[in-house]
Amino acid sequence: MSEPVLHTSLHGRHAAHGARFGAFAGWEMPLLYTSPTAEHRAVRSASGVFDVSHMGQLELAGEGARAYLQSMLSNDIAALGPGQGQYTLMLEDDGGVIDDLIAYALADRYMLVVNASNVAPCRERLASRLPDGVELGDRSLEIAMLALQGPRFLDVLEPLAPSGSSLDLEYFEIAEDVVAGVPCLVARTGYTGEPGVELLCPWDQAPALWDALVDGDSRATPAGLVARDTLRLEMGYPLYGQELSRERTPIEAGLGWACDLDGGGFAGAGRLRRQKEEGTAERLCLFALTEGGIPRPGHAVLSDGEPVGEVTSGTLSPTLGTGIGMAYLPAELAGPDHEITIDVRGKQKSARTARRPLVDSSPTKG
Amino acid sequence: MPDASYPENLRYHHEHDWVRVEGDEAVFGITWYAQDALGEVVYFDPPEVGSSITKDTAYGELESVKAVSDIHAPTSGTVVTVNQQVVDQPEVVNEDPYGAGWLIRVSLGDPSELDGLLDAAAYRAYLAGISS
């Protein structure tokens, strides 16, 4: 027996747009419509909209919620006032990554937006140590989520949000608003490297919101998960299941900035502090090929002919026109401008390690 | 992208390659079905001019953003020309798979190998069998 396949409330909209679907964490999601590189370029140059309703939403409320999350998440949640969010991680006691997520402080509760594949592990981890007086809810199948991303995202949002309350949010802020008649939480977040918002709304109202975003005067281009992947990879953003796993810590992944190592008593902090002091044997790095070819996950990385790592993500960068990827490499090779070789199905391709991002984009520009 | 088509003047290989015979040379490409299955082509890794290729074995690779596909030789031969336009603009394979999107030209090694290929009607029937 195979597991039942989950569909978002936008499945029919995607099919009508000619989507190619693929399985992702138990969901059948649009991988692309007609051209993933055109969708990618639309997001870099104008705006695109992604259905990310498969992502999960866990909510915690009650007097002890903040203290509890302080013990369960890596970043300093006490730094958040109502209407603010932060990138953070849930870790094993040994520092391995259970998930990377965004935690938002709302007026009366905290909302965690977690990866689709990690809803159950995050929920179970939070339930396992839940103190009296803290309530945990899983709203993943009640809340739909659309990511409107790109330098022109306000051209799309502004005509649909007459109250204006979501139009001047700072990066990582969140506010309630009514967009195209649909009650939403609007967050100035995303994972493309472009300015934009993520819109969270009731599951059944997502089609009306989608129609307004893609059919309006300043329409956003529907974009699939393939473009989402090439966009995040150009920025050097890690993806759970590729770069992040229980076998890796945030320090190895270059996410120490999302860990409150000075004050934090969170699970896994001890090992992370030691790693920060002593350094780690390997670190995640970004690279670009200096000749033709496309690196793929699992390809060996070589230095002076010796295997030194494995590609975790790889693609052709639509912006640069060259192969790009990420890999965990020995610390001495993980800085920028080291010459490495990628074994692309038996062909040795020259590559160079690079700082992130690989492209001139920023989610806070404009 | 154009609609599905399988021109009558071509011969087809069951790995979804086409052949256009021109004297003792032949032009190879991939069919509409193959480019549709692969999706937007972003990279063509061609064989070297002058290299020998063998019927039914991979002579090059086409890649989409997400996938790699070996391209199989419908007949044996020696590579005479590589379509540089596809190297430079791989999406031409999607836009015009039987015209500007041709991949290589070969000098035929054994013209009798052509006899084992499918005509357009047989290839369409073969595709119908795959999709049913």
Side-chain angles (χ1 to χ4, degrees):
Chain A
M1 285 256 304
S2 58
E3 293 284 312
V5 176
L6 296 166
H7 287 170
T8 76
S9 56
L10 295 167
H11 196 267
R13 294 296 195 279
H14 302 318
H17 269 288
R20 298 273 171 118
F21 292 97
F24 188 87
W27 294 81
E28 189 177 60
M29 297 300 293
L31 298 181
L32 57 101
Y33 298 90
T34 48
S35 159
T37 54
E39 293 160 24
H40 178 113
R41 291 192 183 108
V43 173
R44 286 269 181 263
S45 65
S47 67
V49 60
F50 302 83
D51 178 10
V52 286
S53 298
H54 59 315
M55 295 187 78
Q57 292 83 21
L58 303 174
E59 293 189 346
L60 290 101
E63 229 164 73
R66 187 177 75 184
Y68 182 52
L69 288 175
Q70 192 78 294
S71 72
M72 298 299 278
L73 299 175
S74 67
N75 213 336
D76 179 16
I77 203 155
L80 296 182
Q84 295 179 321
Q86 68 189 183
Y87 182 80
T88 186
L89 297 118
M90 191 180 297
L91 305 176
E92 296 273 18
D93 292 343
D94 70 359
V97 178
I98 296 171
D99 201 13
D100 65 324
L101 59 126
I102 296 179
Y104 295 101
L106 305 176
D108 57 348
R109 64 195 190 278
Y110 288 93
M111 182 175 67
L112 312 183
V113 176
V114 303
N115 280 301
S117 55
N118 289 326
V119 176
C122 287
R123 186 182 60 225
E124 285 156 17
R125 173 83 168 166
L126 289 168
S128 69
R129 298 176 184 182
L130 199 69
D132 289 342
V134 178
E135 291 160 38
L136 170 66
D138 181 352
R139 301 191 60 205
S140 303
L141 299 180
E142 299 163 39
I143 299 177
M145 191 159 143
L146 302 182
L148 170 64
Q149 302 278 296
R152 309 286 297 276
F153 80 97
L154 273 177
D155 293 351
V156 181
L157 185 62
E158 198 164 6
L160 302 174
S163 88
S165 64
S166 62
L167 300 178
D168 54 0
L169 295 172
E170 299 288 329
Y171 194 39
F172 273 93
E173 287 185 340
I174 187 167
E176 290 182 6
D177 202 350
V178 176
V179 181
V182 175
C184 292
L185 279 167
V186 182
R188 253 294 273 120
T189 48
Y191 216 56
T192 60
E194 296 299 327
V197 289
E198 294 179 298
L199 302 145
L200 298 102
C201 74
W203 193 260
D204 292 339
Q205 296 188 54
L209 182 58
W210 173 272
D211 289 346
L213 294 171
V214 304
D215 296 337
D217 291 336
S218 300
R219 63 190 62 193
T221 301
L225 294 187
V226 171
R228 193 169 160 80
D229 197 51
T230 52
L231 287 158
R232 68 96 192 166
L233 201 45
E234 286 184 342
M235 298 303 290
Y237 294 161
L239 181 67
Y240 199 90
Q242 308 280 114
E243 285 73 37
L244 302 178
S245 73
R246 290 174 196 241
E247 313 304 318
R248 295 290 180 181
T249 72
I251 302 299
E252 292 171 291
L255 299 174
W257 59 270
C259 301
D260 180 26
L261 294 180
D262 295 334
F266 59 91
R271 178 156 172 228
L272 268 49
R273 282 196 192 93
R274 280 197 302 282
Q275 286 190 333
K276 177 129 191 253
E277 268 171 38
E278 297 165 9
T280 58
E282 293 187 326
R283 278 187 6 235
L284 184 61
C285 84
L286 191 57
F287 63 83
L289 264 56
T290 52
E291 59 177 309
I294 306 178
R296 305 285 184 181
H299 289 170
V301 181
L302 304 114
S303 172
D304 295 330
E306 295 296 315
V308 290
E310 202 173 88
V311 175
T312 51
S313 293
T315 193
L316 184 90
S317 160
T319 304
L320 304 173
T322 59
I324 63 170
M326 293 176 96
Y328 282 95
L329 295 183
E332 63 271 21
L333 288 174
D337 300 321
H338 291 285
E339 305 292 336
I340 55 174
T341 304
I342 314 296
D343 182 346
V344 177
R345 290 179 304 284
K347 292 182 183 168
Q348 310 302 305
K349 301 284 188 179
S350 300
R352 188 174 298 130
T353 62
R355 273 180 223 288
R356 43 188 157 185
L358 286 169
V359 295
D360 180 27
S361 290
S362 162
T364 56
K365 75 184 176 190
Chain B
M1 205 165 68
D3 290 336
S5 69
Y6 303 100
E8 298 294 335
N9 62 331
L10 305 179
R11 305 282 190 93
Y12 297 87
H13 183 267
H14 67 275
E15 291 282 3
H16 309 291
D17 308 274
W18 57 259
V19 185
R20 187 172 69 237
V21 180
E22 294 180 353
D24 55 4
E25 294 186 346
V27 177
F28 294 174
I30 66 168
T31 65
W32 186 93
Y33 176 91
Q35 65 77 31
D36 183 61
L38 184 59
E40 184 183 27
V41 177
V42 294
Y43 189 70
F44 174 38
D45 188 7
E48 304 241 347
V49 170
S51 62
S52 295
I53 61 174
T54 307
K55 180 175 161 61
D56 301 331
T57 62
Y59 69 81
E61 291 170 342
L62 288 170
E63 301 196 41
S64 67
V65 174
K66 268 313 217 199
V68 186
S69 181
D70 281 332
I71 328 158
H72 294 81
T75 71
S76 304
T78 304
V79 179
V80 176
T81 318
V82 164
N83 185 355
Q84 190 62 35
Q85 192 189 355
V86 172
V87 174
D88 296 337
Q89 298 170 270
E91 66 274 16
V92 170
V93 173
N94 302 106
E95 291 160 2
D96 191 5
Y98 305 110
W102 65 275
L103 298 177
I104 62 171
R105 173 181 286 270
V106 301
S107 160
L108 288 171
D110 177 4
S112 72
E113 286 177 346
L114 294 167
D115 299 340
L117 296 174
L118 307 172
D119 64 16
Y123 180 63
R124 275 195 214 99
Y126 172 69
L127 290 180
I130 291 175
S131 60
S132 65

